[in-house]
Amino acid sequence: MKREIILYKSIPTDLLEQLKNRFIVHQHQLKSEMDDSFFSDLQRVEGIIGSKLRVDGHLLDQAPHLKIVTNISVGYDNLDIEELTKRSIMATNTPDVLTDTVADTVFGLLLATSRRICELDQYVKLGRWDENIGEHLFGVDVHHKTLGIIGMGRIGLAVAERAHYGFKMKIVYHNRSTHSYAEKNLNATYASLEELLTVSDFVLVMAPLVPETVKLIGEKEFDLMKETAIFLNGSRGELVDEMALIHALQSKKIWGAGLDVYEQEPISKESLLLQLKNVVTLPHIGSATRETRYKMAKLAVDNLMKGLTGEVPPSLINPDVLTD
């Protein structure tokens, strides 16, 4: 008899067929409150594949046969890793395959914000370009400026490489540990968070979302930034106190912001961020290319299949489960 799994995210047809050839696949749409059929299926399945579903002790209590939870994302703040490990349930994610794509998005956001590309695109399309533009529409240079990166993981490093090699930017970073490769090859300099905020022309948050980093950037941190600074967030919206960011932008404590993530997603149509011209807002598209989303789904399917056939998944987050 085929093993049973839950799939709660759309994946390419060929990958779905791979799963159906091996398992009984129960497909669900992720909702704020899952319906009774989801919890009925949860009682029987050995694997879950998708992203953003909160997997905690309460959910796991209703999944007695679960062996693996597979995230189709690099982030896994939706997973209670400690609880999963305690119950000998494997957890996996999809790192590496999206690093360059997200770094491209972040750097595009940096350029769009600094050169006011989105704002000026609308300026032209609305028929307002009838003479040479004045200083009130000027942007700011990127090349040779200082980029401060909070969180020098895979994506942070990829952004730093683009900045160093492509734009001759000075790299300052803050991380849980020093990064010898970045320092040796990119001339990156480690700094305290306060120093980074003080010296950077661009401040990029790429830190993971953990309890210690919730609202990592708030009023105090925006006060430390230059008035000419541009703030960028390509990681998680919860890392930033959004009202403090709005106040910093409204009061011109900082020059602008480029955002791909928000405290609430989708962002509320009433959010003041949508009313500010000095903000570029993207709909969480960091990894959203056809090629990369396919690679992510493929890796997730591979993680699930290997985890349920006795092999070690390529992207196992909690290897301690193998020693139990």
Side-chain angles (χ1 to χ4, degrees):
M1 178 180 288
K2 289 183 177 180
R3 292 172 162 182
E4 299 183 44
I5 66 169
I6 284 176
L7 170 66
Y8 66 95
K9 184 179 179 71
S10 296
I11 62 174
T13 303
D14 63 319
L15 298 178
L16 177 58
E17 288 305 312
Q18 285 185 36
L19 289 177
K20 288 183 174 180
N21 288 337
R22 299 285 294 276
F23 310 108
I24 296 172
V25 181
H26 302 282
Q27 293 181 256
H28 292 270
Q29 296 296 319
L30 181 61
K31 304 172 184 176
S32 57
E33 293 291 337
M34 289 300 199
D35 56 25
D36 291 342
S37 65
F38 172 82
F39 289 104
S40 176
D41 291 335
L42 195 60
Q43 293 286 328
R44 303 189 303 277
V45 300
E46 295 183 46
I48 301 175
I49 178 170
S51 64
K52 297 187 179 180
L53 175 67
R54 178 62 186 164
V55 179
D56 54 16
H58 173 70
L59 183 141
L60 294 173
D61 285 342
Q62 301 175 71
H65 304 293
L66 195 62
K67 293 181 173 59
I68 185 169
V69 177
T70 302
N71 258 19
I72 309 178
S73 70
V74 65
Y76 50 88
D77 45 275
N78 59 308
L79 306 181
D80 187 333
I81 299 299
E82 182 178 351
E83 190 66 29
L84 285 162
T85 304
K86 185 171 70 175
R87 300 179 188 228
S88 298
I89 298 170
M90 291 177 283
T92 71
N93 64 338
T94 58
D96 299 322
V97 293
L98 51 66
T99 298
D100 282 325
T101 300
V102 176
D104 288 348
T105 301
V106 168
F107 215 88
L109 192 57
L110 185 156
L111 289 169
T113 307
S114 61
R115 298 307 307 271
R116 301 171 70 170
I117 289 173
C118 300
E119 179 186 355
L120 295 178
D121 167 73
Q122 289 300 304
Y123 181 83
V124 175
K125 288 177 177 174
L126 292 172
R128 298 172 60 190
W129 185 31
D130 49 18
E131 60 182 358
N132 290 337
I133 67 169
E135 288 190 17
H136 67 290
L137 292 176
F138 286 1
V140 297
D141 279 334
V142 173
H143 57 85
H144 296 97
K145 293 292 184 67
T146 298
L147 171 61
I149 301 176
I150 303 168
M152 188 65 87
R154 295 180 182 90
I155 298 170
L157 177 63
V159 174
E161 289 174 333
R162 285 154 176 75
H164 174 76
Y165 292 115
F167 292 82
K168 298 181 174 60
M169 298 181 80
K170 178 181 178 181
I171 309 300
V172 178
Y173 75 98
H174 180 73
N175 201 46
R176 285 176 291 187
S177 58
T178 57
H179 200 297
S180 58
Y181 176 89
E183 294 182 5
K184 179 180 179 180
N185 294 278
L186 309 179
N187 296 323
T189 303
Y190 179 85
S192 66
L193 179 59
E194 291 77 11
E195 181 184 358
L196 181 151
L197 296 170
T198 302
V199 303
S200 297
D201 299 301
F202 297 86
V203 176
L204 168 63
V205 176
M206 288 306 309
L209 178 60
V210 294
E212 295 76 27
T213 59
V214 173
K215 291 191 180 346
L216 177 68
I217 306 297
E219 182 178 357
K220 172 188 171 184
E221 287 70 32
F222 288 118
D223 283 345
L224 289 171
M225 295 182 197
K226 299 178 179 180
E227 289 185 357
T228 54
I230 291 175
F231 176 75
L232 305 157
N233 190 359
S235 184
R236 288 288 188 267
E238 295 92 332
L239 298 174
V240 181
D241 182 335
E242 213 159 85
M243 283 308 303
L245 170 59
I246 290 168
H247 292 153
L249 291 162
Q250 289 175 327
S251 63
K252 303 297 176 64
K253 286 183 179 178
I254 61 173
W255 193 84
L259 309 171
D260 189 37
V261 291
Y262 311 89
E263 285 184 347
Q264 173 189 327
E265 295 187 4
I267 189 172
S268 168
K269 294 180 177 60
E270 307 303 318
S271 172
L272 293 175
L273 287 171
L274 304 183
Q275 301 174 27
L276 297 172
K277 288 185 177 181
N278 55 341
V279 185
V280 175
T281 52
L282 297 180
H284 203 154
I285 61 163
S287 64
T289 66
R290 292 181 185 276
E291 302 95 326
T292 294
R293 287 292 173 88
Y294 183 89
K295 291 176 185 177
M296 291 170 65
K298 187 176 186 300
L299 177 54
V301 167
D302 192 28
N303 280 326
L304 183 75
M305 287 185 167
K306 288 186 176 179
L308 289 181
T309 55
E311 297 182 61
V312 178
S315 306
L316 184 62
I317 298 167
N318 56 342
D320 287 348
V321 298
L322 302 177
T323 59
D324 290 347

